[in-house]
Amino acid sequence: MTLEEYLQAIEHLNLWAKHYYVLDDPIASDEEYDTLYRKVKDYELKNPHEIAPDSPTQRVGDKVLEFFSKSTHIQRMWSLEDVFNLQELQDWIERILRGSNCETLNFFISPKFDGASLNLLYEDGILKSAATRGDAFIGENVTQNARTIPSIPLKIAYKGRIEIRGECVIAKDDFEKLNLERLQQGENLFANPRNAAAGSLRQLDPKITAKRKLQFIPWGVGAYDIADFMESMNKTSQNSFFALMEQIYTLGFQKSPFVELCNNIQEIETAYSHLISKRDSYPITLDGMVVCVDSIPLQGKLGFTIKAPRFACAYKFPAIEKKAKILGITLQVGRTGVITPVAELEPIRIEGAKVSRATLHNFDEITKKDIQINDFVILIRSGDVIPKIIKSLPALRDGTQTPCPIPTKCPICKSELLIEEKLIKCQNLSCEARVKNAIIHFASKKALNIDGLGEKIVEMLFDTGKIHSIEDLFYLQPNDLEGLEGFKDKKIGNLLNAIAATRGVELWRFINALGIEHIGEGASKKLANAFGLEFYKKTYEDFIILEGFGEEMAASLSEFCKVNLERLLRLLKIISPLCSAQPLVQDSKIKGKTFVITGTLSKARQDYQELLESLGAKVSGSVSKKTDFLLCGANAGSKLTKAQDLGVKIINEEDFKTLLN
């Protein structure tokens, strides 16, 4: 095979793949494809320096990643405002008309798929990177995984720089097969297709992603030069989003199964009714319909709110309700020991997923909804929300129903439970059900901050029997980690050094790492400053008099120290945390003021918190009437809204600098 024949073979393979995966119109047999693929692979083995970037062999990721790097989007990935009924849609359109000074508008309509958003960056026609939405500004670089998805072109005809945005989804049938395989292998099941797509996209081993049959369907663009793009497509119009998307599809992307241009609200509602009627028969899960102003210049004029574009919204489908029978109620124990009742259901199907369990949240919820074992109940699922029980159906009771007893002992370790108003909690730090999640929290950033010991690594170490408790982390040896997936000499050394570096950590971090119910970062600092290394010897009466400590905090803390005394002493001896003297508070005009921090700032929130506390200010996690200032960055959410409602003074970083000066 010559170089020219090699390049022609790649064109044939990519064309055949497009017809098979994107157009659902095969034009070559599997045998023809496999034969030509092998010839291409043989050529590349002999000529490794001539491998084309769009060769189908480059879709198979051979390198297993240790972690995902970060990737900054050139243009922010906005989320959409939701509307739930015709009246809300009418109100949204009226706002658009007022903002645009137009009497009529055209709207681009497409399904809203229930998947994971993905941003693809192409430069010079080559796929350069792929990133998840993340915090809208920075996502995770999942390029290797994206390259394994057949409906993502590795090469496109447009040579300029462009961000193609869309949804990474998994078909209902493929989702069911995937969950069946996981069930047979004893693995946890995915809750729904969206959960499966997101989890498949974030695999450190691209070969796993390649097996998951993911699809990519574009819904928009990020950064690009529209004039250059449309000119390269031989199109003169630069005004229509509908026309823009039609050109995007011609680049080799999978076309959305339903797109329309609507001229008024009646046509939008007709399209909405059509999609709802086809909802169950669609191979991919839908959770609504996207309504977008078609005029691109007008999109620019309308602009954005702090969270979403003003020119587009998600017209959400109504919640799906199903009747199910509760066969029993089991108890789950979480990281902090909270006992969660879970309803075991007679299996039913909702949105392509077989549902056999649903959380009941807490026993107060069970009482309010009058739920009993053997009851028929109504389950609801709206959009990407996990199915939940909204009410029981007492009229269908036949006498076999029995109340759910409130437990007094942990179902796993049999320790006495701490019973509060709504929460029932196991305080035993050694409880096996708590251990894995407790270790994850113990190593997290605001606790011991053990670099390289994330959730996946903890699960691997725990599931392979390398650790059974928090203390086991400190006795790990290099030979314990050798042979584990992804662990090489450098990674082993880095992890063991990071664990060793926690010795002598600040006492407040140690307390926070314990995961005591109601005791967070702020309370941990107060405990460290008030009692030092003897905090565990104190009583409820000692804790209750601390500023900001209520009855629940004091009760939880005293119970925790009593149940876990031996464990605490062992950890204190291993880690030897340091209790530095409380820093002197500088005199300042913000001394005694209460701040809440929200949004994306130029520095980490932790840095601002430490600065504020050093100046005598208080930092709270929630906005209330007692809040003096809301330090607000970009992409703020509900805290900003509440602050506006309460009349709290809102400042940005420049205002903050002025305030200090």
Side-chain angles (χ1 to χ4, degrees), residues 325-341:
K325 186 177 183 180
I326 296 181
L327 302 178
I329 294 177
T330 56
L331 305 176
Q332 285 185 343
V333 185
R335 171 184 65 79
T336 61
V338 172
I339 309 294
T340 302

Side-chain angles (χ1 to χ4, degrees), residues 18 37 40 89 114 118 123 194 235 297 393 426 480 530 576 595 623 653:
K18 177 182 177 181
Y37 182 91
V40 165
L89 177 67
D114 197 10
L118 192 63
E123 292 180 349
R194 178 188 182 279
K235 299 293 179 182
L393 299 172
C426 173
D480 293 323
S576 300
F595 282 74
V623 176
E653 290 182 279

Side-chain angles (χ1 to χ4, degrees), residues 480-531:
D480 293 323
L481 304 176
E482 290 172 358
L484 292 180
E485 184 181 347
F487 275 89
K488 305 296 181 185
D489 290 345
K490 184 178 179 181
K491 184 174 181 178
I492 291 173
N494 288 344
L495 179 57
L496 294 180
N497 289 337
I499 293 172
T502 62
R503 293 182 171 89
V505 74
E506 298 158 286
L507 178 59
W508 74 264
R509 284 188 171 275
F510 174 83
I511 297 173
N512 193 36
L514 296 172
I516 307 169
E517 185 73 21
H518 305 309
I519 306 300
E521 182 183 343
S524 297
K525 290 179 178 178
K526 288 181 181 178
L527 286 168
N529 288 327
F531 304 122

Side-chain angles (χ1 to χ4, degrees), residues 431-442:
C431 178
E432 185 176 335
R434 294 187 59 185
V435 172
K436 186 188 295 185
N437 286 324
I439 296 172
I440 292 169
H441 173 73
F442 194 80

Side-chain angles (χ1 to χ4, degrees), residues 24-35:
D24 194 21
D25 177 31
I27 59 174
S29 68
D30 290 348
E31 183 181 1
E32 286 178 293
Y33 185 93
D34 292 341
T35 300

Side-chain angles (χ1 to χ4, degrees), residues 430 432 435 439 461-462 464-470 472 567:
S430 300
E432 185 176 335
V435 172
I439 296 172
L461 294 175
F462 192 90
T464 55
K466 303 299 181 183
I467 57 174
H468 301 91
S469 66
I470 290 171
D472 288 345
R567 194 72 172 287

Side-chain angles (χ1 to χ4, degrees), residues 179-199:
N179 259 352
L180 181 60
E181 290 173 4
R182 294 177 71 84
L183 181 64
Q184 292 169 344
Q185 295 168 6
E187 298 176 327
N188 293 331
L189 303 186
F190 288 115
N192 50 52
R194 178 188 182 279
N195 179 255

